[in-house]
Amino acid sequence: MGAERRAWERPSMSGEHPFAQFVRIVGRGRHGARAMTYDEAYAAMRMILAGDCLPEQVGAFLMLIRVREETAEELAGFVAAVRETIQAPGGVPPVRIDWPSYAGKRRHLPWFLLAALLVACNGHPVLMHGIARAGDGRIYAPEALARLGLPVCAALGDAGEAIRRSNFAYVPLEAFAPRVAGMIGLRALLGLRSPANSIARMLNPLGAPVQLVGIFHPNYRDVHQQAAAILGAAHLAVLRGEGGEAERNPDVPCLVQTACDGEERSEEWPALFSGGRHLKDTALEIGRLAAVWRGEATDEYGEAAVAGTAAIALRALGAAPTIPEAERAPRGGSGRSARRRSYVRRDGESRAPDRHHPAGHPAGTPPARGGG
């Protein structure tokens, strides 16, 4: 090689890099490796966010955790560190429900978008946030929202006008957590998802009192539920949604796990159809979303997914005390008629109490467990 240096080589260092301890914790072999504590995960993520470690270290760290999957303690520590970096803007109306969207859809249309709009129609301001990837055959929220005539906000501060106008706003992850978005983008380089996907779902950047999280792999229900309990979430509901989004599949029972002020619970919602599953869409025509919303077309599966998902959200919001009542709630003055009406609300009556987020604490000190 002579005097030439390959791109992956680094000059020799005197002493161990400070981040190496975290790589060693998670990667010291079959018997020596262990999961990080909340405090360790918090400290590691603070270094990553501050740019105090090398790209090679970040990649190794994320993939070592990916092999065994992140624990609830690690996820909670990561989320607490990222929340510290989010600058919550002033002047944004309180949001009632935080709705992450990070999976994209490839088997069915993104009916969860209409469910979110239906919840907004029922007087509950919704903040949705997520990502979009090109070339992977999936439909992501921004593309579908454009067909519905809804804008994508460029920053969290822009969400205020959207919420005042329609009780709904969508903000891309890179607008408020660019380093987390960058870690998710490493999938194109490393070939695998990383803990960043779970972190993004939990961020709740405007501190909504309710979070509705969709996951694909069933074991992540427990991880998100337990992490939310560690963080002291007011109310997080997590379900294995269709395609990994927060969308109820009406063909099968749906287990919803919740964490409410540190208490963990679960309840199973029944299937809305019997006698076999609906076939997946042969072609994902985004225009059908708008047509169904306006009442110009019908879709048995899609309308059930919309109403069923909205019911879970409304129950989490406290709008219905039981599952049967929640499943009737979206149709009570809304349902098909709401989808035919404009979803824009201008009365501004339903508003959540102001919540400060993230909770303040000395910089560099892990926030107290249950403190945010």
Side-chain angles (χ1 to χ4, degrees):
M1 292 189 296
E4 296 181 0
R5 185 178 297 280
R6 293 183 180 179
W8 48 263
E9 288 188 299
R10 297 290 184 192
S12 59
M13 299 176 61
S14 58
E16 184 176 84
H17 190 286
F19 192 79
Q21 61 177 313
F22 300 115
V23 179
R24 184 165 55 249
I25 287 171
V26 298
R28 190 189 280 164
R30 181 178 301 177
H31 302 294
R34 62 170 174 83
M36 289 180 292
T37 66
Y38 171 92
D39 289 349
E40 289 167 339
Y42 170 85
M45 185 53 61
R46 275 183 58 86
M47 288 191 68
I48 292 173
L49 296 173
D52 291 339
C53 42
L54 300 174
E56 299 95 324
Q57 293 176 310
V58 175
F61 179 73
L62 294 176
M63 290 300 97
L64 285 168
I65 295 175
R66 172 67 178 89
V67 168
R68 60 154 169 82
E69 299 177 354
E70 59 272 24
T71 66
E73 289 264 342
E74 290 171 332
L75 179 56
F78 293 153
V79 171
V82 178
R83 283 180 176 175
E84 283 188 351
T85 69
I86 298 173
Q87 301 296 318
V92 177
V95 172
R96 291 295 312 280
I97 184 167
D98 182 86
W99 199 311
S101 171
Y102 288 88
K105 298 296 293 294
R106 62 183 176 85
R107 292 179 58 86
H108 293 282
L109 287 167
W111 298 109
F112 67 91
L113 292 175
L114 300 192
L117 296 179
L118 185 53
V119 170
C121 274
N122 278 258
H124 304 283
V126 177
L127 176 72
M128 185 173 287
H129 50 92
I131 58 169
R133 281 197 293 263
D136 66 356
R138 293 175 179 265
I139 297 175
Y140 291 90
E143 179 184 0
L145 289 171
R147 295 294 293 272
L148 290 167
L150 286 168
V152 171
C153 299
L156 275 179
D158 298 334
E161 178 58 31
I163 291 167
R164 279 187 286 270
R165 185 175 64 249
S166 63
N167 260 3
F168 176 89
Y170 177 93
V171 182
L173 177 67
E174 57 264 27
F176 60 90
R179 286 197 178 271
V180 179
M183 284 188 276
I184 290 178
L186 289 175
R187 179 171 185 169
L189 181 65
L190 301 173
L192 296 170
R193 70 174 293 281
S194 77
N197 297 71
S198 296
I199 295 167
R201 285 172 164 84
M202 296 282 290
L203 288 180
N204 190 10
L206 292 181
V210 173
Q211 298 167 254
L212 184 63
V213 175
I215 51 87
F216 182 77
H217 297 289
N219 52 309
Y220 277 102
R221 273 192 305 247
D222 290 337
V223 173
H224 282 274
Q225 180 189 42
Q226 293 163 14
I230 292 169
L231 291 166
H235 190 125
L236 177 137
V238 57
L239 63 145
R240 186 190 182 198
E242 203 291 312
E245 293 285 3
E247 178 182 301
R248 182 178 174 186
N249 182 340
D251 288 333
V252 296
C254 179
L255 178 65
V256 178
Q257 296 179 210
T258 61
C260 303
D261 295 317
E263 183 178 356
E264 299 174 18
R265 296 181 179 178
S266 63
E267 60 183 14
E268 184 164 293
W269 293 60
L272 298 177
F273 295 109
S274 60
R277 299 192 180 197
H278 288 78
L279 297 176
K280 76 171 185 176
D281 294 330
T282 55
L284 297 181
E285 300 173 1
I286 302 179
R288 274 202 295 133
L289 285 175
V292 170
W293 181 257
R294 293 191 298 262
E296 298 168 357
T298 61
D299 188 297
E300 181 182 68
Y301 175 93
E303 292 185 39
V306 170
T309 303
I312 292 174
L314 290 171
R315 175 144 167 73
L317 285 158
T322 66
I323 289 177
E325 289 175 278
E327 290 185 327
R328 291 192 295 270
R331 299 176 177 84
S334 298
R336 176 73 63 84
S337 63
R339 293 196 293 278
R340 288 179 177 176
R341 294 195 306 269
S342 169
Y343 50 81
V344 176
R345 286 178 53 91
R346 301 187 186 276
D347 54 35
E349 291 177 354
S350 179
R351 293 291 180 260
D354 189 21
R355 292 172 61 86
H356 298 288
H357 177 74
H361 53 84
T365 304
R369 292 162 55 109

